């Protein structure tokens, strides 16, 4: 090995170095320690210097992999202990990664496309991550594009490299959220799901398993990636994984493993430990894409392996937990039996059947708990199957309630416990159902009267059954009685219950019984805390005195503390899923641990309280209840008022709509009436024409009467227009006078500075524009006056025509022709007059608009004038200041000149200096001319 290392270090020929590295590779498996110690430095040097030769790089990487990797052959594993092997690989890895450049170099080599370089590079990097994961992860994370370069391995067309790339990414993403996020955003989900589909989903080989493990790494406890997975619509792509056929016999071990991992991946997305919002959105997505329906199909399918069925039940549990839509769907699922039975009933049958596997029974219990979690509707359906009115008298079908009762009173302690916990979940946080369950009566034996369910539970307790059964029943009773005073009264009504509980708590029993004692103490504490003092013999104060005499307060509180100190209690409090190593450890339910936490401290305080404090507390409770009642009353009143307001608003809306409709109909009818009037007038005229030969004189007179009415109307309209015209002319004259004043004031201010002139020019421009508009207005008014004179002329013509119509009356033969001509001409004239009146009204509107615009421009000009005046005043002030300053300066200069002359210094006057300068300039000019 030493000689080979020397050859690698000193040989100038590449072939010699390559042969030496190949030889080291062949020795590296057997003599791992020696090669690692002596050759590592030389091999790293080869990686740095001989990049051009892929063969020597490949040998060097393989040698380093053999040295660092712990994947030894079985014989070697037998010879060396596992611990020594782990230490050796870890130590060599530490030496290699001490120089971070080595890992960066390895990342660049993995980018090479050459198979002999890329593949050993991937294997070596995977081995480094296995040995010193966190350190190597950190180096890759800080190296530029480190993770992105490794992601390219998934796109490699060579399956060996792609598959080993998946294994590398598995190691890279372990317990590192930052890398998990980068890998996810580098499109890992898309690529991995494509690989799983290509490989045949659950029927695929070990590659599918590796991809699923990598997906689990990316999604587990990583809310960001879970959200990205959901938003990217990848949940929909999981549905084909769970498509199983009718024939489910002979599943391969790999298929079982793959399906198991797939189910676990679904559970990762809807885990109760995830944020509630994220879990809820994933649950909804699973329902909408049909994934839940597919899982329920597997649940009800035949021939599915037991472990897959168990995991499917657990998965369905978490998909429906706390999601009303999914819970409702699950309640509607039926098993493919004859007659069809609800899936819940079929599952409960498995739970209370002692021949079923323990893990399967636990899974069914979890499924039932998840179905009832925050599902008051489901709870009500389960409890209703126990109530007398709904029990099926024929006995053809078994209900969920009957199965639970059967399990509760069977000889199998595990069934007792499961049924008790399941029934407790049906009552969880539902006071109404707790009261309803008190109505349930059980027939014990023929001839004996029925016994209530509550009484039967206490009877079994007092019979001294197994610890598991008693713990289950005590948990059920504690849940039932908590926050339900009526149930407490029913419980205390049986005179045997309190003596039994005090007797159990007072005894000094073994460790197993301590748990039962603690639960008895809790039940008695609940009977005190939620006692409404309706039973005289079992008032709060009397029960406290009884505890003081029989047990002692300190002893009672100590026994109560046994529950939370128990190891099995701590395990159950960790997560909702009931997971027990053996049936003997099945003691506590997760939801019950929450109840214990809530009540333990409260009961301890209640035991030590005096009667006066209790009274005060009751008074406070009563006042609070009264306040609550008042608040609820007002809320109800407000709600009713809101409803009334809504109704009134709706009525107003309907009435307004009706009013609008009625108005529309009225206007329509008015127009119709007008039309009828017009038609009536026309008919009258036509009738007049028909009777002309009989009474032409009167008819013509009637026609003249109609014409005179029309003419009088037109005269009135003309008078109105004249008045309006005069008003407009008056307004225009006023505006003209204002503008002339402005012009005169602006002309007076014409001697100001240049700056004020420039600003004023804008005002003059505005003025000129205004004058133009005035000119336009004048022309329009002239046109209007011309039109009015024209109308007056036409009116005069009409009057003349009316006057000439009278002498014609004598001639009866000519009257018919002249009257018809006159009528036609009159109608035409009336039409023309109407159109002209319309045109005049339009002209009036436009004149008004022009006047408005001119008044606004006048206002603008007045503003500008005031601004200009201010500016002129400011500039005058500035000029005065400057003149004062100049005068002061001249006085100072003259004073200084006098002083200088007094001192004997020759001083030239400004005029002399100027004349001297002028003389010099003239001389210079003469010289230039001569040149």
């Amino acid at each position: 090995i030493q000689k080979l290392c020397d050859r690698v270090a000193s040989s100038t020929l590449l072939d010699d170095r390559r042969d030496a590295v190949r030889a080291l590779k062949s020795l590296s498996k057997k003599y791992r320690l020696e090669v690692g110690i002596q050759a590592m430095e030389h091999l790293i040097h080869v990686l740095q210097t001989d990049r051009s030769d892929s063969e020597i790089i490949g040998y060097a990487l393989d040698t380093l992999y053999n040295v660092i990797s712990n994947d030894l052959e079985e014989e070697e594993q037998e010879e060396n202990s596992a611990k020594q092997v782990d230490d050796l690989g870890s130590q060599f890895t530490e030496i290699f990664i001490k120089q971070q450049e080595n890992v960066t170099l390895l990342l660049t080599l993995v980018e090479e496309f050459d198979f002999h370089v890329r593949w050993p590079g991937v294997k070596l990097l995977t081995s480094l991550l296995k040995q010193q994961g966190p350190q190597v992860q950190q180096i890759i994370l800080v190296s530029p594009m480190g993770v992105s370069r490794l992601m390219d391995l998934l796109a490699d067309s060579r399956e060996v490299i792609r598959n080993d790339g998946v294994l590398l990414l598995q190691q890279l993403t372990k317990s590192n959220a930052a890398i998990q996020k980068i890998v996810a955003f580098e499109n890992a989900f898309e690529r991995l799901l494509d690989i799983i589909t290509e490989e045949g989903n659950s029927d695929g080989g070990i590659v599918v398993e590796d991809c699923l493990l990598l997906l689990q790494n990316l999604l587990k406890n990583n809310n960001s990636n879970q959200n990205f997975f959901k938003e990217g619509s990848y949940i929909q792509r999981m549905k084909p994984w769970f498509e199983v056929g009718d024939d489910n016999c002979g599943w391969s071990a790999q298929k079982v493993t793959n399906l198991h991992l797939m189910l676990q991946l679904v559970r990762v997305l809807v885990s109760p430990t995830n944020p509630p919002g994220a879990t809820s959105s994933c649950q909804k997505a699973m329902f909408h894409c049909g994934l839940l329906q597919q899982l329920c199909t597997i649940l009800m399918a035949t021939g599915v392996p037991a472990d897959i069925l168990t995991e499917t039940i657990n998965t369905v549990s978490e998909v429906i937990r706390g999601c009303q839509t999914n819970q409702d769907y699950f309640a509607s699922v039926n098993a493919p039996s004859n007659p069809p039975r609800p899936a819940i009933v079929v599952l409960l049958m498995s739970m209370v059947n002692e021949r079923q596997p323990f893990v399967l029974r636990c899974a069914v219990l979890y499924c039932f708990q998840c179905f009832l979690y925050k599902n008051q509707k489901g709870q009500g359906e389960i409890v209703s199957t126990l109530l007398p009115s709904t029990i099926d008298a024929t006995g053809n079908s078994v209900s969920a309630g009957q199965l639970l009762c059967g399990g509760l009173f069977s000889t199998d302690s595990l069934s007792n416990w499961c049924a008790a916990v399941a029934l407790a979940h049906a009552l969880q946080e539902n006071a109404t159902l707790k009261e309803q369950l008190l109505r349930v009566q059980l027939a014990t034996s023929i001839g004996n009267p029925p016994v209530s369910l509550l009484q039967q539970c206490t009877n079994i307790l007092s019979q001294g059954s197994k610890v598991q059964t008693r713990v289950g029943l005590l948990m059920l009773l504690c849940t039932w009685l908590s926050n339900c005073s009526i149930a407490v009264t029913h419980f205390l009504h049986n005179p045997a219950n309190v003596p039994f509980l005090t007797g159990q708590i007072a005894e000094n029993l073994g460790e197993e019984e301590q748990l039962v004692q603690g639960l008895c103490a809790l039940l008695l504490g609940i009977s005190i805390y939620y006692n409404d003092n309706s039973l005289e013999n079992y008032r709060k104060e009397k029960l406290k005195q009884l505890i003081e005499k029989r047990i002692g307060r300190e002893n009672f509180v100590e026994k109560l503390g046994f529950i939370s100190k128990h190891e099995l209690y701590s395990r159950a409090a960790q997560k909702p899923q009931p997971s027990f190593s053996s049936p003997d450890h099945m003691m506590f339910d997760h939801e019950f641990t929450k109840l214990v936490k809530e009540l333990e401290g409260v009961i301890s305080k209640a035991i030590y309280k005096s009667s006066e404090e209790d009274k005060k507390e009751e008074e406070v409770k009563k006042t609070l209840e009264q306040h609550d009642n008042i608040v609820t009353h007002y809320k109800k009143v407000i709600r009713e008022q809101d409803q009334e307001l809504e109704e009134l608003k709706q009525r107003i809306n309907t009435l307004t709509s009706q009013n609008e409709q009625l108005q529309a109909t009225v206007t329509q009818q008015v127009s119709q009436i007008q039309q009828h009037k017009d038609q009536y007038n026309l008919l009258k005229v036509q009738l007049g024409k028909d009777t002309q030969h009989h009474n032409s004189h009167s008819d013509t007179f009637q026609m003249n009467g109609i014409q005179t009415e029309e003419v009088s109307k037109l005269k009135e309209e003309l008078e109105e227009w004249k008045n309006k015209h005069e008003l407009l002319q008056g307004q225009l004259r006023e505006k003209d006078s204002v503008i002339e004043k402005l012009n005169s004031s602006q002309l007076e201010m014409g001697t100001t500075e240049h700056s004020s002139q420039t600003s004023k020019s804008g005002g003059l421009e505005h003025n000129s524009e205004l004058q133009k508009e005035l000119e336009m207005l004048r022309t329009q008014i002239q046109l209007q006056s011309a039109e009015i004179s024209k109308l007056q002329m036409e009116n005069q013509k009409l009057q003349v025509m009316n006057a000439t119509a009278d002498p014609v009356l004598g001639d009866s033969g000519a009257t018919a022709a002249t009257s018809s001509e006159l009528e036609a001409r009159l109608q035409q004239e009336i039409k023309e007059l109407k159109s002209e009146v319309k045109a005049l009204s339009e002209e009036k509107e436009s004149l008004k608009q022009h006047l408005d615009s001119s008044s606004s421009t006048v206002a603008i000009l007045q503003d500008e004038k005031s601004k200009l005046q201010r500016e002129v005043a400011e500039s005058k002030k500035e000029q005065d200041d400057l003149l004062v300053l100049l005068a002061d300066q001249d006085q100072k200069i003259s004073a200084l000149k006098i002083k200088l002359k007094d001192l004997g210094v020759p001083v030239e006057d400004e005029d002399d200096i100027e004349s001297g300068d002028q003389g010099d300039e003239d001389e210079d000019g003469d010289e230039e001319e001569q040149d």
Side-chain angles (χ1 to χ4, degrees):
I1 290 165
Q2 184 61 52
K3 281 180 184 176
L4 289 168
C5 288
D6 290 342
R7 277 175 66 190
V8 171
S10 58
S11 292
T12 51
L13 289 171
L14 179 61
D15 290 343
D16 292 345
R17 290 202 302 279
R18 192 189 299 126
D19 292 341
V21 173
R22 191 193 289 117
L24 283 170
K25 178 193 165 185
S26 60
L27 292 166
S28 61
K29 282 188 180 178
K30 197 169 185 181
Y31 303 103
R32 183 180 172 194
L33 180 64
E34 292 79 0
V35 172
I37 291 166
Q38 294 178 46
M40 185 174 278
E41 198 178 330
H42 300 300
L43 292 167
I44 291 166
H45 185 69
V46 165
L47 293 177
Q48 289 167 343
T49 54
D50 292 327
R51 287 279 300 279
S52 57
D53 186 58
S54 60
E55 205 173 341
I56 193 171
I57 295 288
Y59 292 144
L61 290 168
D62 280 329
T63 311
L64 285 168
Y65 171 72
N66 291 339
V67 167
I68 286 167
S69 174
N70 287 330
D71 302 337
L72 299 172
E73 291 176 10
E74 288 177 13
E75 294 171 11
E76 290 171 319
Q77 278 185 338
E78 285 168 15
E79 290 170 14
N80 303 315
S81 70
K83 193 177 180 184
Q84 285 177 331
V85 167
D86 286 349
D87 286 348
L88 201 59
S90 184
Q91 284 167 8
F92 282 134
T93 303
E94 212 168 311
I95 294 163
F96 185 84
I97 65 171
K98 208 171 226 177
Q99 300 293 323
Q100 289 191 9
E101 297 82 26
N102 294 342
V103 179
T104 313
L105 175 66
L106 196 53
L107 286 169
T108 54
L109 290 170
V110 166
E111 273 191 293
E112 294 285 337
F113 186 74
D114 194 311
F115 182 81
H116 297 292
V117 176
R118 198 172 209 182
W119 189 41
V122 169
K123 289 197 293 180
L124 176 57
L125 197 50
T126 309
S127 189
L128 291 172
L129 283 160
K130 278 182 186 174
Q131 304 296 340
Q132 297 283 344
Q135 293 91 322
V136 180
Q137 281 175 341
Q138 206 54 40
I139 295 165
I140 292 170
L141 198 58
V142 297
S143 69
M145 298 291 287
V147 178
S148 302
R149 283 189 270 185
L150 297 176
M151 280 301 298
D152 292 338
L153 297 169
L154 294 181
D156 201 305
S157 56
R158 295 159 296 193
E159 283 192 16
V160 179
I161 291 173
R162 185 198 69 186
N163 299 346
D164 279 351
V166 172
L167 294 172
L168 168 59
L169 288 168
Q170 268 183 38
Q171 296 299 326
L172 182 66
T173 53
K174 267 186 185 173
S175 311
N176 192 312
I179 291 175
Q180 285 166 6
K181 284 178 187 175
I182 295 166
V183 170
F185 282 97
E186 287 282 348
N187 208 19
F189 294 138
E190 186 79 38
R191 291 183 187 181
L192 291 168
L193 291 168
D194 286 343
I195 294 168
I196 291 168
T197 309
E198 284 168 22
E199 294 291 324
N201 294 330
S202 59
D203 294 318
I206 198 161
V207 179
V208 172
E209 182 184 338
D210 292 334
C211 289
L212 290 166
L213 287 167
L214 176 52
L215 282 169
Q216 270 193 28
N217 279 1
L218 294 173
L219 292 170
K220 202 167 189 177
N221 302 322
N222 193 320
N223 298 328
S224 169
N225 281 4
Q226 285 173 10
N227 191 46
F228 183 62
F229 191 83
K230 180 186 74 70
E231 294 296 330
S233 302
Y234 296 118
I235 289 174
Q236 286 84 322
R237 292 189 62 180
M238 295 166 82
K239 188 192 168 189
W241 297 353
F242 304 105
E243 288 173 359
V244 293
D246 297 328
D247 183 25
N248 295 313
C249 302
W251 283 18
S252 66
Q254 187 61 57
K255 180 169 183 172
V256 171
T257 307
N258 289 349
L259 209 52
H260 209 273
L261 288 168
M262 287 168 175
L263 290 164
Q264 282 180 351
L265 198 62
V266 174
R267 289 184 69 185
V268 163
L269 294 168
V270 290
S271 170
T273 55
N274 292 348
T279 302
S280 175
S281 58
C282 286
Q283 286 172 331
K284 284 172 186 170
M286 285 173 185
F287 174 74
H288 290 304
C289 76
L291 181 58
L292 174 60
Q293 292 84 325
Q294 204 69 49
L295 291 170
C296 289
T297 308
I298 296 173
L299 201 67
M300 295 291 115
T302 52
V304 177
D307 53 346
I308 291 295
L309 184 61
T310 305
E311 191 61 28
T312 306
I313 293 168
N314 286 327
T315 308
V316 169
S317 308
E318 290 182 356
V319 173
I320 66 171
R321 188 177 189 269
C323 180
Q324 190 67 55
T325 313
N326 294 7
Q327 287 166 338
D328 290 346
Y329 169 75
F330 185 68
S332 69
V333 174
N334 284 322
S337 59
N338 193 14
R341 285 178 177 162
I344 295 165
V345 172
V346 174
L347 290 171
L348 286 175
M349 287 167 95
S350 302
M351 186 182 79
V352 296
N353 184 350
E354 56 189 292
R355 288 193 294 274
Q356 291 291 346
F358 172 63
V359 285
L360 181 66
R361 295 173 78 180
C362 288
V364 172
L365 176 63
Y366 184 45
C367 187
F368 192 71
Q369 288 174 351
C370 290
F371 169 66
L372 297 176
Y373 182 71
K374 290 184 179 176
N375 181 9
Q376 291 198 340
K377 184 184 169 188
Q379 288 175 323
E381 285 169 1
I382 298 297
V383 171
S384 69
T385 58
L386 284 164
L387 298 175
S389 58
T390 55
I391 290 170
D392 184 11
T394 57
N396 290 335
S397 61
V398 182
S399 68
Q402 288 169 320
L403 285 169
L404 289 175
C405 279
L408 203 58
F409 308 124
S410 76
T411 53
D412 176 33
S413 62
L414 194 61
S415 294
N416 301 155
W417 190 91
C418 289
V421 168
L423 204 51
H425 273 262
L427 304 174
Q428 203 82 39
E429 296 176 4
N430 200 325
T432 314
L433 294 181
K434 287 176 184 178
E435 291 174 19
Q436 283 191 358
L437 203 64
L438 295 168
R439 292 165 49 206
V440 176
Q441 300 287 317
L442 302 170
T444 48
S445 58
I446 299 163
N448 291 335
V451 181
S452 72
L453 178 61
L454 186 70
Q455 185 58 49
Q456 186 63 17
C457 290
T458 53
N459 291 346
I460 293 167
L461 268 179
S462 58
Q463 286 166 11
S465 49
K466 286 182 183 176
V467 173
Q468 195 173 37
T469 303
R470 282 182 288 160
V471 167
L473 287 168
L474 283 164
M475 284 198 295
L476 170 60
L477 288 169
C478 288
T479 308
W480 195 346
L481 268 59
S482 65
N483 210 13
C484 184
S485 302
I486 298 166
V488 170
T489 308
H490 275 258
F491 179 74
L492 295 174
H493 195 70
N494 185 351
N497 287 343
V498 173
F500 167 72
L501 290 176
T502 51
Q504 284 284 313
I505 299 161
E507 284 182 32
N508 288 319
L509 302 166
E511 277 188 26
E512 276 193 1
E513 293 295 327
Q514 280 184 350
L515 195 54
V516 177
Q517 284 184 315
L519 289 166
C520 286
L522 181 67
L523 185 57
L524 188 57
I526 288 167
S527 302
I528 292 166
Y529 186 71
Y530 291 107
N531 192 341
D532 59 357
N533 294 329
S534 56
L535 293 172
E536 188 59 39
N537 294 336
Y538 295 107
R539 292 172 70 84
K540 280 186 181 182
E541 195 54 42
K542 287 189 177 180
L543 286 171
K544 284 182 195 175
Q545 287 169 3
L546 187 69
I547 287 168
E548 184 64 43
K549 284 178 189 174
R550 296 274 180 90
I551 305 160
R553 286 178 184 174
E554 287 80 9
N555 192 20
F556 179 86
V557 172
E558 187 189 342
K559 295 282 172 76
L560 186 63
F562 283 162
I563 303 170
S564 54
K565 287 172 187 169
H566 204 282
E567 184 193 350
L568 296 174
Y569 173 89
S570 305
R571 281 188 201 169
Q574 286 170 3
K575 58 178 183 176
Q577 187 185 353
S579 54
F580 307 101
S581 53
S582 70
D584 299 334
H585 292 157
M586 206 171 193
M587 287 291 171
F588 284 109
D589 170 53
H590 178 75
E591 289 296 324
F592 181 72
T593 60
K594 290 181 184 177
L595 185 72
V596 173
K597 275 180 196 171
E598 187 187 323
L599 293 176
E600 192 177 3
V602 176
I603 289 167
S604 301
K605 283 179 187 174
I607 295 299
Y608 284 104
K609 274 180 187 170
S610 64
S611 57
E612 289 175 4
E613 285 176 330
D614 277 338
K615 281 176 185 174
K616 282 180 185 176
E617 201 171 284
E618 279 176 17
E619 284 172 11
V620 169
K621 273 185 182 176
K622 280 178 184 175
T623 52
L624 282 170
E625 279 175 12
Q626 285 174 355
H627 281 299
D628 287 342
N629 290 336
I630 291 162
V631 168
T632 49
H633 172 69
Y634 278 120
K635 278 182 179 175
K636 192 179 176 184
V637 168
I638 289 161
R639 204 176 294 115
E640 285 172 1
Q641 285 177 348
D642 283 343
Q643 284 175 355
E644 284 175 11
L645 275 169
E646 283 297 320
E647 285 171 9
L648 286 167
K649 280 178 182 175
Q650 285 174 359
R651 281 181 67 189
I652 286 163
N653 289 332
T654 51
L655 287 167
T656 48
S657 62
Q658 282 174 5
N659 187 25
E660 284 169 5
Q661 285 173 2
L662 288 167
Q663 280 180 345
T665 51
V666 164
T667 50
Q668 202 174 347
Q669 284 172 357
V670 166
S671 65
Q672 283 175 356
I673 287 160
Q674 190 62 44
Q675 282 175 7
H676 288 314
K677 277 182 180 178
D678 295 342
Q679 284 171 4
Y680 173 68
N681 288 331
L682 283 167
L683 284 166
K684 275 172 81 177
V685 171
Q686 283 171 0
L687 281 165
K689 280 181 183 178
D690 292 337
T691 55
Q692 265 179 0
H693 298 288
H694 304 290
N695 197 2
S696 59
H697 176 75
S698 60
D699 191 42
T700 316
F701 198 77
Q702 196 178 5
M703 283 290 291
N704 287 337
I706 294 160
Q707 287 165 8
T708 50
E709 283 174 16
E710 291 281 343
V711 168
S712 61
K713 279 182 187 177
L714 286 167
K715 277 181 182 178
E716 284 170 11
E717 283 181 8
L718 279 168
E719 285 298 320
E720 281 177 23
W721 284 115
K722 279 179 184 177
N723 294 334
K724 284 174 185 175
H725 179 64
E726 285 168 7
L727 276 169
L728 288 168
Q729 279 186 333
Q731 285 176 359
L732 276 170
R733 280 196 289 276
E734 285 173 18
K735 300 290 177 191
D736 282 339
S737 63
V738 171
I739 289 160
E740 281 168 10
K741 282 176 188 174
L742 281 169
N743 282 333
S744 61
S745 62
Q746 283 175 349
L747 289 166
E748 284 168 12
M749 286 153 51
T751 56
T752 54
E753 282 185 301
H754 179 67
S755 60
S756 63
Q757 283 172 357
T758 53
S759 63
K760 187 182 167 188
S761 65
L764 288 167
E765 283 171 13
H766 278 296
N767 191 19
S768 64
E769 285 173 13
L770 189 64
Q771 281 183 337
K772 282 176 187 175
E773 284 180 11
L774 278 169
E775 286 297 324
M776 283 168 70
L777 284 168
R778 279 181 189 140
T779 52
Q780 283 176 356
I781 285 161
Q782 283 170 4
L783 287 166
Q784 200 173 3
S785 61
E787 282 176 2
I788 286 162
S789 61
K790 189 180 173 185
L791 282 168
Q792 284 172 345
M793 289 284 288
E794 284 174 355
N795 193 16
Q796 283 171 3
K797 279 180 187 177
L798 280 168
Q799 285 172 351
V800 170
M801 280 164 73
N802 282 335
T804 53
D806 292 330
V808 180
L809 291 169
D811 191 6
S812 60
T815 48
T818 52
S819 62
S820 60
E821 283 173 21
L822 188 64
E823 187 188 342
R825 283 180 67 185
L826 273 170
Q827 282 178 353
Q828 196 173 352
E829 290 289 341
I830 286 159
K831 279 180 185 175
E832 285 174 6
L833 282 167
K834 278 182 180 177
S835 61
E836 282 169 4
V837 166
K838 195 179 177 183
L840 282 168
S841 63
E842 285 171 5
E843 288 282 339
K844 176 198 162 188
E845 287 296 321
S846 63
L847 277 168
K848 273 186 182 177
Q849 287 174 4
H850 280 299
L851 276 169
D852 292 339
S853 62
S854 64
S855 59
S856 63
T857 48
V858 165
I860 292 161
L861 280 168
Q862 283 176 341
D863 289 341
E864 286 182 357
K865 175 193 166 186
S866 60
K867 280 181 190 175
L868 287 167
Q869 283 173 343
R870 283 198 295 274
E871 284 174 7
V872 167
E874 283 171 11
S875 62
K876 279 181 179 177
K877 193 179 176 185
E878 284 174 10
Q879 278 183 342
D880 292 342
D881 291 343
L882 282 167
L883 287 166
V884 170
L885 282 167
L886 285 166
D888 289 345
Q889 198 77 14
D890 287 337
Q891 284 175 4
K892 283 177 186 177
I893 288 164
S894 59
L896 285 166
K897 279 181 181 177
I898 292 158
K899 281 180 184 179
L900 285 167
K901 281 177 182 176
D902 291 343
L903 289 165
V905 177
V907 177
E908 291 180 357
D909 290 334
E910 281 182 12
D911 297 334
D912 298 339
I913 291 162
E914 283 175 6
S915 62
D917 290 341
Q918 188 65 40
D920 292 340
E921 282 172 11
D922 293 341
E923 284 171 15
D924 292 338
D926 294 338
E927 284 172 12
E928 281 172 9
E929 282 172 12
Q930 285 170 7
D931 292 339

